[in-house]
Amino acid sequence: MASLTRSVASLSGLLVLLIFFTIYISTADLGSRHFSLPLLPIHSSILCASAPCDATAALGGTYERRMPPLHVYMYDLPRRFNFAMMDHRPDTDPPPATGKDIPPWPPSAGIKKQHSVEYWMTASLLIGDDKSAAEESEVVRVRDGEVADVFFVPFFSSLSFNSHGRNMTDPDTEIDRKLQADLLDILGKSQYWQRSAGRDHVFPMQHPNAFRFLRDQLNASILVVADFGRYPKSLSSLSKDVVAPYVHVVESYVDDDSSDPFELRPTLLFFRGRTVRKDEGVVRQKLAKVLAGYGDVHYEDSFATGEGIKASTLGMRSSKFCLHPAGDTPSSCRLFDAIVSHCVPVIISDHIELPFETDLDYTEFSFFFSVDEALQPGYLVSQLRAVSKDRWLELWKKLKLVSHHYEFHYPPKRDDAVNMLWRQVRQKLPTAKLAEHRSRRLKIPDWWK
């Protein structure tokens, strides 16, 4: 009996040693192995709690806002820098406190509308106590610069160019120059500007000639631009600046619900606009020759008058593809007119940069051709004719899903163009903060270049 007891005890001891040995081996192996845990479904609201929801993902469903709103300090500039250009009220009047105090964007503004991003971004910071509007917004205005994430400068630089000496030789041009000089004087006295050398300051500068006299003094700031066609690399780049869509000038196609839109758009390819352009835009004249003689291609030289805009609206809505060649700079308003018309964009520009491209994949609703490809006789038309009805319908449906990202509203709406722009600004802040911190300790600035 004693022998049996000893045997059981020995077996038990061996079993305990085996268990400990197994645990030891497993633990020791943890450092050298990669383990795959089963993936559990996570609700979108949990995913969005720690990071911005991707706008592309949002196409498949509706997401709640993910992060706390961006805290923006907006300078209280005298009215001559912004709204006085619209309502002509005296500079002694106080800056608007809420959206109720700002003039609406004039419906008669015509082509100036395409450069009005500055107006919509400023208005988004004047929501005031409207809680329902605040819930839709990506930003909130703060009065204390110490708690701000970013600083916004509400100078309507595009409207200033369009209003004060647009021909660049008028005496009024000096008004635009003085506004720029006065603004830099105001900023130079700001402790927030001095602290970061303007790196965390945002300037809407969408017109290619906006802030043209003194823009080189803003080369460290976050610029909101249409493209980089008129800017040297020392001033503006994709790494620090935000590409904004033009505000579309044609009416949005809100009731595009036909059961067979392919057949209701008999024109294959549509273009209506100025054909005599500078720089990369000279391709427009060459395209006029290449696309001549096709019965299902409409290529017309025209001006952006009220009647012209109406004609463009009808033409885009009755066309399968809308041509977007470069203007005087790589981009033009025509692309965004096509998007809200649900006319599949055909983009011809070798140097274009596009808005919201961290969130949207343009190849899902557009076609791209190099300038050399587009100028090959017959190539462009043959490629578009080869697109099947099913493929075109996929692109059309995607356009309908993304077009709300290119709409400007006051108050801003969920994932509209205004909120998308502020989301892009948020993404530029880590680069701005890194540059600010490095500048404080470097003895030889940017030695790595």
Side-chain angles (χ1 to χ4, degrees), residues 72 74 82-83 86 96-105 116-130 133-134 137 139-141 152-156 204 408-413 416 418-419 422:
V72 181
M74 181 166 66
N82 40 61
F83 294 108
M86 301 174 63
T98 69
K100 297 178 181 178
D101 302 324
I102 64 176
W105 185 261
S116 60
V117 162
E118 53 204 16
Y119 171 88
W120 301 103
M121 293 186 75
T122 301
S124 70
L125 296 170
L126 296 171
I127 292 173
D129 297 327
D130 188 336
S137 181
V139 293
V140 62
R141 185 183 185 183
F152 181 73
V153 183
F155 172 42
F156 291 0
F408 289 80
H409 301 107
Y410 177 80
K413 296 183 179 181
D416 73 352
V418 184
N419 277 321
W422 283 118

Short mmCIF file of all heavy atoms in Angstrom, two decimals, residues 72 74 82-83 86 96-105 116-130 133-134 137 139-141 152-156 204 408-413 416 418-419 422:
data_model
loop_
_atom_site.label_atom_id
_atom_site.label_comp_id
_atom_site.label_asym_id
_atom_site.label_seq_id
_atom_site.Cartn_x
_atom_site.Cartn_y
_atom_site.Cartn_z
N VAL A 72 -10.76 76.05 -33.12
CA VAL A 72 -10.21 77.05 -34.04
C VAL A 72 -10.34 78.44 -33.44
O VAL A 72 -11.43 78.87 -33.04
CB VAL A 72 -10.94 77.00 -35.41
CG1 VAL A 72 -10.33 78.02 -36.36
CG2 VAL A 72 -10.87 75.60 -36.00
N MET A 74 -10.33 82.19 -34.42
CA MET A 74 -10.46 83.04 -35.60
C MET A 74 -10.21 84.50 -35.20
O MET A 74 -10.82 85.00 -34.26
CB MET A 74 -11.85 82.91 -36.23
CG MET A 74 -12.03 83.78 -37.47
SD MET A 74 -13.49 83.38 -38.47
CE MET A 74 -14.82 83.85 -37.35
N ASN A 82 -13.03 91.35 -45.05
CA ASN A 82 -13.91 90.26 -45.45
C ASN A 82 -15.29 90.77 -45.88
O ASN A 82 -15.50 91.10 -47.04
CB ASN A 82 -14.02 89.20 -44.34
CG ASN A 82 -14.08 89.80 -42.95
OD1 ASN A 82 -15.00 90.55 -42.62
ND2 ASN A 82 -13.09 89.49 -42.12
N PHE A 83 -16.22 90.88 -44.93
CA PHE A 83 -17.61 91.07 -45.32
C PHE A 83 -17.93 92.44 -45.88
O PHE A 83 -18.95 92.62 -46.57
CB PHE A 83 -18.53 90.75 -44.13
CG PHE A 83 -18.47 89.30 -43.72
CD1 PHE A 83 -17.84 88.92 -42.56
CD2 PHE A 83 -19.04 88.33 -44.53
CE1 PHE A 83 -17.78 87.59 -42.19
CE2 PHE A 83 -18.98 86.99 -44.17
CZ PHE A 83 -18.35 86.62 -42.99
N MET A 86 -18.69 92.67 -49.42
CA MET A 86 -19.98 92.17 -49.87
C MET A 86 -21.12 93.13 -49.52
O MET A 86 -21.99 93.39 -50.35
CB MET A 86 -20.25 90.80 -49.24
CG MET A 86 -19.21 89.74 -49.59
SD MET A 86 -19.48 88.20 -48.69
CE MET A 86 -21.08 87.70 -49.33
N PRO A 96 -18.80 90.24 -37.44
CA PRO A 96 -19.99 89.44 -37.13
C PRO A 96 -19.74 88.48 -35.98
O PRO A 96 -18.68 87.86 -35.89
CB PRO A 96 -20.28 88.69 -38.43
CG PRO A 96 -19.15 88.95 -39.35
CD PRO A 96 -18.31 90.02 -38.79
N ALA A 97 -20.72 88.37 -35.09
CA ALA A 97 -20.60 87.48 -33.94
C ALA A 97 -21.20 86.11 -34.22
O ALA A 97 -20.74 85.10 -33.71
CB ALA A 97 -21.28 88.10 -32.73
N THR A 98 -22.24 86.06 -35.06
CA THR A 98 -22.88 84.80 -35.41
C THR A 98 -23.23 84.83 -36.89
O THR A 98 -23.11 85.86 -37.56
CB THR A 98 -24.17 84.55 -34.60
OG1 THR A 98 -25.17 85.50 -35.01
CG2 THR A 98 -23.91 84.69 -33.10
N GLY A 99 -23.72 83.71 -37.38
CA GLY A 99 -24.11 83.62 -38.77
C GLY A 99 -25.24 84.56 -39.14
O GLY A 99 -25.41 84.91 -40.31
N LYS A 100 -26.03 84.98 -38.14
CA LYS A 100 -27.11 85.90 -38.41
C LYS A 100 -26.60 87.28 -38.84
O LYS A 100 -27.33 88.07 -39.41
CB LYS A 100 -27.99 86.04 -37.18
CG LYS A 100 -28.68 84.74 -36.76
CD LYS A 100 -29.49 84.94 -35.49
CE LYS A 100 -30.16 83.64 -35.06
NZ LYS A 100 -30.93 83.80 -33.80
N ASP A 101 -25.34 87.55 -38.52
CA ASP A 101 -24.77 88.87 -38.80
C ASP A 101 -24.05 88.95 -40.14
O ASP A 101 -23.53 90.01 -40.50
CB ASP A 101 -23.78 89.27 -37.69
CG ASP A 101 -24.43 89.27 -36.32
OD1 ASP A 101 -25.61 89.65 -36.24
OD2 ASP A 101 -23.76 88.90 -35.34
N ILE A 102 -23.95 87.85 -40.86
CA ILE A 102 -23.18 87.87 -42.10
C ILE A 102 -24.11 87.96 -43.31
O ILE A 102 -25.22 87.42 -43.29
CB ILE A 102 -22.28 86.63 -42.24
CG1 ILE A 102 -23.10 85.34 -42.34
CG2 ILE A 102 -21.30 86.53 -41.08
CD1 ILE A 102 -22.27 84.11 -42.57
N PRO A 103 -23.70 88.67 -44.33
CA PRO A 103 -24.53 88.74 -45.54
C PRO A 103 -24.53 87.41 -46.28
O PRO A 103 -23.51 86.72 -46.30
CB PRO A 103 -23.85 89.83 -46.36
CG PRO A 103 -22.42 89.81 -45.91
CD PRO A 103 -22.45 89.43 -44.46
N PRO A 104 -25.65 87.03 -46.87
CA PRO A 104 -25.65 85.79 -47.67
C PRO A 104 -24.81 85.97 -48.92
O PRO A 104 -24.63 87.09 -49.41
CB PRO A 104 -27.13 85.60 -48.01
CG PRO A 104 -27.70 86.98 -47.96
CD PRO A 104 -26.95 87.71 -46.88
N TRP A 105 -24.28 84.86 -49.42
CA TRP A 105 -23.52 84.95 -50.65
C TRP A 105 -24.45 85.39 -51.78
O TRP A 105 -25.48 84.75 -52.02
CB TRP A 105 -22.85 83.62 -51.00
CG TRP A 105 -21.96 83.74 -52.20
CD1 TRP A 105 -22.26 83.40 -53.48
CD2 TRP A 105 -20.65 84.32 -52.24
NE1 TRP A 105 -21.22 83.71 -54.32
CE2 TRP A 105 -20.21 84.28 -53.59
CE3 TRP A 105 -19.81 84.87 -51.28
CZ2 TRP A 105 -18.97 84.75 -53.98
CZ3 TRP A 105 -18.57 85.33 -51.68
CH2 TRP A 105 -18.16 85.28 -53.02
N SER A 116 -15.23 81.12 -53.54
CA SER A 116 -15.82 81.59 -52.29
C SER A 116 -15.56 80.68 -51.09
O SER A 116 -16.24 80.79 -50.07
CB SER A 116 -17.33 81.79 -52.46
OG SER A 116 -17.97 80.57 -52.83
N VAL A 117 -14.59 79.79 -51.19
CA VAL A 117 -14.28 78.91 -50.06
C VAL A 117 -14.01 79.71 -48.79
O VAL A 117 -14.41 79.31 -47.69
CB VAL A 117 -13.06 78.02 -50.41
CG1 VAL A 117 -12.44 77.43 -49.16
CG2 VAL A 117 -13.48 76.91 -51.36
N GLU A 118 -13.35 80.87 -48.92
CA GLU A 118 -13.02 81.71 -47.77
C GLU A 118 -14.28 82.12 -47.00
O GLU A 118 -14.30 82.17 -45.77
CB GLU A 118 -12.27 82.95 -48.25
CG GLU A 118 -12.99 83.69 -49.35
CD GLU A 118 -12.09 84.54 -50.24
OE1 GLU A 118 -10.86 84.35 -50.25
OE2 GLU A 118 -12.64 85.41 -50.95
N TYR A 119 -15.34 82.41 -47.75
CA TYR A 119 -16.61 82.81 -47.14
C TYR A 119 -17.21 81.66 -46.33
O TYR A 119 -17.65 81.84 -45.19
CB TYR A 119 -17.58 83.25 -48.24
CG TYR A 119 -19.01 83.49 -47.80
CD1 TYR A 119 -19.40 84.73 -47.32
CD2 TYR A 119 -19.97 82.48 -47.89
CE1 TYR A 119 -20.72 84.97 -46.93
CE2 TYR A 119 -21.28 82.70 -47.50
CZ TYR A 119 -21.66 83.94 -47.02
OH TYR A 119 -22.97 84.15 -46.64
N TRP A 120 -17.24 80.47 -46.91
CA TRP A 120 -17.90 79.33 -46.26
C TRP A 120 -17.11 78.84 -45.04
O TRP A 120 -17.70 78.43 -44.04
CB TRP A 120 -18.10 78.20 -47.27
CG TRP A 120 -18.93 78.63 -48.44
CD1 TRP A 120 -18.48 78.96 -49.70
CD2 TRP A 120 -20.35 78.85 -48.45
NE1 TRP A 120 -19.53 79.34 -50.49
CE2 TRP A 120 -20.69 79.29 -49.76
CE3 TRP A 120 -21.34 78.70 -47.51
CZ2 TRP A 120 -21.99 79.58 -50.13
CZ3 TRP A 120 -22.66 78.99 -47.87
CH2 TRP A 120 -22.97 79.43 -49.16
N MET A 121 -15.80 78.88 -45.11
CA MET A 121 -15.00 78.48 -43.96
C MET A 121 -15.17 79.47 -42.81
O MET A 121 -15.27 79.08 -41.64
CB MET A 121 -13.53 78.33 -44.33
CG MET A 121 -13.25 77.20 -45.29
SD MET A 121 -11.48 76.92 -45.60
CE MET A 121 -10.97 76.13 -44.07
N THR A 122 -15.22 80.76 -43.14
CA THR A 122 -15.44 81.78 -42.11
C THR A 122 -16.82 81.60 -41.48
O THR A 122 -16.97 81.63 -40.25
CB THR A 122 -15.30 83.18 -42.72
OG1 THR A 122 -14.00 83.34 -43.28
CG2 THR A 122 -15.53 84.25 -41.67
N ALA A 123 -17.83 81.42 -42.31
CA ALA A 123 -19.20 81.28 -41.81
C ALA A 123 -19.33 80.07 -40.88
O ALA A 123 -20.09 80.11 -39.91
CB ALA A 123 -20.17 81.16 -42.98
N SER A 124 -18.59 79.01 -41.16
CA SER A 124 -18.70 77.80 -40.34
C SER A 124 -18.26 78.02 -38.90
O SER A 124 -18.59 77.23 -38.02
CB SER A 124 -17.87 76.66 -40.96
OG SER A 124 -16.48 76.91 -40.84
N LEU A 125 -17.49 79.10 -38.66
CA LEU A 125 -17.03 79.41 -37.32
C LEU A 125 -17.95 80.40 -36.61
O LEU A 125 -17.66 80.84 -35.50
CB LEU A 125 -15.61 79.98 -37.37
CG LEU A 125 -14.55 79.01 -37.89
CD1 LEU A 125 -13.24 79.74 -38.15
CD2 LEU A 125 -14.35 77.86 -36.92
N LEU A 126 -19.07 80.73 -37.24
CA LEU A 126 -20.01 81.70 -36.68
C LEU A 126 -21.37 81.08 -36.40
O LEU A 126 -22.40 81.74 -36.47
CB LEU A 126 -20.16 82.89 -37.64
CG LEU A 126 -18.89 83.72 -37.86
CD1 LEU A 126 -19.11 84.73 -38.99
CD2 LEU A 126 -18.48 84.44 -36.58
N ILE A 127 -21.37 79.82 -36.05
CA ILE A 127 -22.62 79.11 -35.78
C ILE A 127 -23.27 79.63 -34.50
O ILE A 127 -24.49 79.69 -34.38
CB ILE A 127 -22.37 77.59 -35.67
CG1 ILE A 127 -21.98 77.05 -37.05
CG2 ILE A 127 -23.59 76.86 -35.16
CD1 ILE A 127 -21.56 75.61 -37.04
N GLY A 128 -22.44 80.02 -33.53
CA GLY A 128 -22.98 80.54 -32.28
C GLY A 128 -23.55 79.44 -31.40
O GLY A 128 -22.93 78.39 -31.22
N ASP A 129 -24.75 79.66 -30.88
CA ASP A 129 -25.35 78.73 -29.92
C ASP A 129 -26.28 77.71 -30.57
O ASP A 129 -27.07 77.06 -29.88
CB ASP A 129 -26.14 79.51 -28.85
CG ASP A 129 -25.24 80.43 -28.03
OD1 ASP A 129 -24.07 80.05 -27.82
OD2 ASP A 129 -25.71 81.51 -27.62
N ASP A 130 -26.22 77.58 -31.87
CA ASP A 130 -27.07 76.62 -32.58
C ASP A 130 -26.52 75.22 -32.34
O ASP A 130 -25.59 74.76 -33.01
CB ASP A 130 -27.09 76.95 -34.08
CG ASP A 130 -28.11 76.13 -34.84
OD1 ASP A 130 -28.47 75.04 -34.38
OD2 ASP A 130 -28.52 76.58 -35.93
N ALA A 133 -26.71 72.68 -35.28
CA ALA A 133 -25.69 72.96 -36.30
C ALA A 133 -24.31 72.56 -35.80
O ALA A 133 -23.49 72.03 -36.56
CB ALA A 133 -25.72 74.44 -36.67
N ALA A 134 -24.05 72.80 -34.51
CA ALA A 134 -22.74 72.45 -33.95
C ALA A 134 -22.49 70.95 -34.01
O ALA A 134 -21.35 70.50 -34.19
CB ALA A 134 -22.64 72.95 -32.51
N SER A 137 -20.94 69.98 -37.27
CA SER A 137 -19.70 70.63 -37.66
C SER A 137 -18.46 69.92 -37.14
O SER A 137 -18.47 69.32 -36.06
CB SER A 137 -19.70 72.08 -37.15
OG SER A 137 -18.52 72.75 -37.53
N VAL A 139 -15.77 71.67 -36.53
CA VAL A 139 -15.00 72.70 -35.85
C VAL A 139 -15.85 73.43 -34.83
O VAL A 139 -17.08 73.46 -34.92
CB VAL A 139 -14.41 73.73 -36.84
CG1 VAL A 139 -13.38 73.10 -37.73
CG2 VAL A 139 -15.51 74.39 -37.66
N VAL A 140 -15.17 74.04 -33.87
CA VAL A 140 -15.81 74.94 -32.93
C VAL A 140 -14.87 76.13 -32.72
O VAL A 140 -13.65 75.96 -32.64
CB VAL A 140 -16.13 74.24 -31.60
CG1 VAL A 140 -14.87 73.76 -30.89
CG2 VAL A 140 -16.92 75.16 -30.69
N ARG A 141 -15.44 77.31 -32.67
CA ARG A 141 -14.62 78.50 -32.47
C ARG A 141 -14.32 78.68 -30.99
O ARG A 141 -15.21 78.54 -30.14
CB ARG A 141 -15.35 79.73 -33.00
CG ARG A 141 -14.50 81.01 -32.92
CD ARG A 141 -15.27 82.23 -33.39
NE ARG A 141 -14.41 83.40 -33.42
CZ ARG A 141 -14.84 84.63 -33.73
NH1 ARG A 141 -16.12 84.81 -34.03
NH2 ARG A 141 -14.01 85.65 -33.74
N PHE A 152 -7.29 80.61 -37.58
CA PHE A 152 -7.86 80.88 -38.91
C PHE A 152 -7.86 82.38 -39.15
O PHE A 152 -8.27 83.18 -38.30
CB PHE A 152 -9.28 80.35 -38.99
CG PHE A 152 -9.94 80.56 -40.33
CD1 PHE A 152 -9.54 79.81 -41.43
CD2 PHE A 152 -10.94 81.51 -40.50
CE1 PHE A 152 -10.13 80.00 -42.68
CE2 PHE A 152 -11.54 81.70 -41.73
CZ PHE A 152 -11.13 80.94 -42.82
N VAL A 153 -7.41 82.79 -40.35
CA VAL A 153 -7.32 84.20 -40.72
C VAL A 153 -8.40 84.49 -41.76
O VAL A 153 -8.26 84.10 -42.94
CB VAL A 153 -5.93 84.53 -41.28
CG1 VAL A 153 -5.84 86.03 -41.58
CG2 VAL A 153 -4.84 84.11 -40.30
N PRO A 154 -9.50 85.16 -41.38
CA PRO A 154 -10.64 85.36 -42.29
C PRO A 154 -10.47 86.54 -43.23
O PRO A 154 -11.29 87.48 -43.26
CB PRO A 154 -11.81 85.57 -41.32
CG PRO A 154 -11.19 86.26 -40.15
CD PRO A 154 -9.80 85.66 -40.02
N PHE A 155 -9.41 86.50 -44.02
CA PHE A 155 -9.20 87.51 -45.06
C PHE A 155 -9.69 86.93 -46.38
O PHE A 155 -9.21 85.88 -46.82
CB PHE A 155 -7.73 87.89 -45.14
CG PHE A 155 -7.38 88.78 -46.31
CD1 PHE A 155 -8.21 89.84 -46.67
CD2 PHE A 155 -6.23 88.57 -47.06
CE1 PHE A 155 -7.90 90.66 -47.75
CE2 PHE A 155 -5.91 89.38 -48.14
CZ PHE A 155 -6.75 90.44 -48.48
N PHE A 156 -10.64 87.62 -47.01
CA PHE A 156 -11.19 87.13 -48.27
C PHE A 156 -10.25 87.54 -49.40
O PHE A 156 -10.52 88.45 -50.19
CB PHE A 156 -12.59 87.72 -48.50
CG PHE A 156 -13.64 87.20 -47.55
CD1 PHE A 156 -13.33 86.28 -46.57
CD2 PHE A 156 -14.95 87.63 -47.65
CE1 PHE A 156 -14.30 85.79 -45.69
CE2 PHE A 156 -15.93 87.15 -46.79
CZ PHE A 156 -15.61 86.24 -45.81
N PRO A 204 -7.23 80.91 -46.35
CA PRO A 204 -7.87 80.54 -47.61
C PRO A 204 -7.34 81.43 -48.73
O PRO A 204 -7.33 82.65 -48.62
CB PRO A 204 -9.36 80.80 -47.34
CG PRO A 204 -9.38 81.79 -46.22
CD PRO A 204 -8.14 81.59 -45.42
N PHE A 408 -21.39 73.23 -50.54
CA PHE A 408 -21.07 74.18 -49.48
C PHE A 408 -22.35 74.69 -48.85
O PHE A 408 -23.25 75.17 -49.55
CB PHE A 408 -20.26 75.35 -50.06
CG PHE A 408 -18.86 74.98 -50.44
CD1 PHE A 408 -18.60 74.33 -51.63
CD2 PHE A 408 -17.79 75.26 -49.59
CE1 PHE A 408 -17.30 73.98 -52.00
CE2 PHE A 408 -16.49 74.92 -49.94
CZ PHE A 408 -16.25 74.28 -51.13
N HIS A 409 -22.44 74.57 -47.52
CA HIS A 409 -23.65 74.98 -46.81
C HIS A 409 -23.32 75.87 -45.62
O HIS A 409 -22.23 75.79 -45.06
CB HIS A 409 -24.39 73.74 -46.27
CG HIS A 409 -24.82 72.76 -47.29
ND1 HIS A 409 -24.20 71.53 -47.44
CD2 HIS A 409 -25.80 72.79 -48.22
CE1 HIS A 409 -24.79 70.85 -48.41
NE2 HIS A 409 -25.76 71.60 -48.90
N TYR A 410 -24.30 76.68 -45.26
CA TYR A 410 -24.29 77.33 -43.95
C TYR A 410 -25.68 77.16 -43.34
O TYR A 410 -26.67 77.53 -43.97
CB TYR A 410 -23.97 78.83 -44.00
CG TYR A 410 -24.05 79.39 -42.60
CD1 TYR A 410 -22.98 79.23 -41.72
CD2 TYR A 410 -25.21 80.00 -42.13
CE1 TYR A 410 -23.08 79.67 -40.41
CE2 TYR A 410 -25.31 80.44 -40.82
CZ TYR A 410 -24.24 80.27 -39.97
OH TYR A 410 -24.33 80.68 -38.66
N PRO A 411 -25.74 76.57 -42.15
CA PRO A 411 -24.64 75.93 -41.41
C PRO A 411 -24.11 74.71 -42.16
O PRO A 411 -24.84 74.14 -42.99
CB PRO A 411 -25.30 75.54 -40.08
CG PRO A 411 -26.59 76.29 -40.01
CD PRO A 411 -27.03 76.50 -41.40
N PRO A 412 -22.89 74.29 -41.87
CA PRO A 412 -22.34 73.11 -42.54
C PRO A 412 -23.18 71.86 -42.25
O PRO A 412 -23.80 71.75 -41.20
CB PRO A 412 -20.94 72.97 -41.93
CG PRO A 412 -20.62 74.31 -41.38
CD PRO A 412 -21.93 74.90 -40.94
N LYS A 413 -23.17 70.96 -43.21
CA LYS A 413 -23.85 69.68 -43.05
C LYS A 413 -22.83 68.55 -42.97
O LYS A 413 -21.70 68.69 -43.39
CB LYS A 413 -24.82 69.44 -44.22
CG LYS A 413 -25.97 70.44 -44.27
CD LYS A 413 -26.94 70.11 -45.39
CE LYS A 413 -28.09 71.11 -45.42
NZ LYS A 413 -29.06 70.80 -46.50
N ASP A 416 -20.12 67.58 -45.69
CA ASP A 416 -20.16 68.45 -46.86
C ASP A 416 -18.77 69.03 -47.11
O ASP A 416 -17.80 68.69 -46.42
CB ASP A 416 -21.22 69.54 -46.70
CG ASP A 416 -20.84 70.63 -45.69
OD1 ASP A 416 -19.81 70.47 -44.98
OD2 ASP A 416 -21.56 71.63 -45.59
N VAL A 418 -17.45 71.94 -46.60
CA VAL A 418 -16.88 72.74 -45.51
C VAL A 418 -16.27 71.83 -44.45
O VAL A 418 -15.11 72.02 -44.02
CB VAL A 418 -17.95 73.65 -44.89
CG1 VAL A 418 -17.33 74.54 -43.82
CG2 VAL A 418 -18.63 74.50 -45.96
N ASN A 419 -17.01 70.83 -44.03
CA ASN A 419 -16.49 69.90 -43.02
C ASN A 419 -15.34 69.07 -43.55
O ASN A 419 -14.40 68.76 -42.82
CB ASN A 419 -17.62 68.99 -42.53
CG ASN A 419 -18.46 69.65 -41.45
OD1 ASN A 419 -17.94 70.34 -40.58
ND2 ASN A 419 -19.76 69.44 -41.51
N TRP A 422 -12.19 71.21 -43.25
CA TRP A 422 -11.65 71.28 -41.89
C TRP A 422 -11.01 69.96 -41.48
O TRP A 422 -10.03 69.92 -40.74
CB TRP A 422 -12.76 71.66 -40.91
CG TRP A 422 -13.10 73.12 -40.94
CD1 TRP A 422 -14.30 73.69 -41.27
CD2 TRP A 422 -12.23 74.21 -40.63
NE1 TRP A 422 -14.23 75.05 -41.20
CE2 TRP A 422 -12.96 75.41 -40.79
CE3 TRP A 422 -10.90 74.30 -40.22
CZ2 TRP A 422 -12.42 76.67 -40.56
CZ3 TRP A 422 -10.35 75.55 -40.00
CH2 TRP A 422 -11.10 76.71 -40.17
#
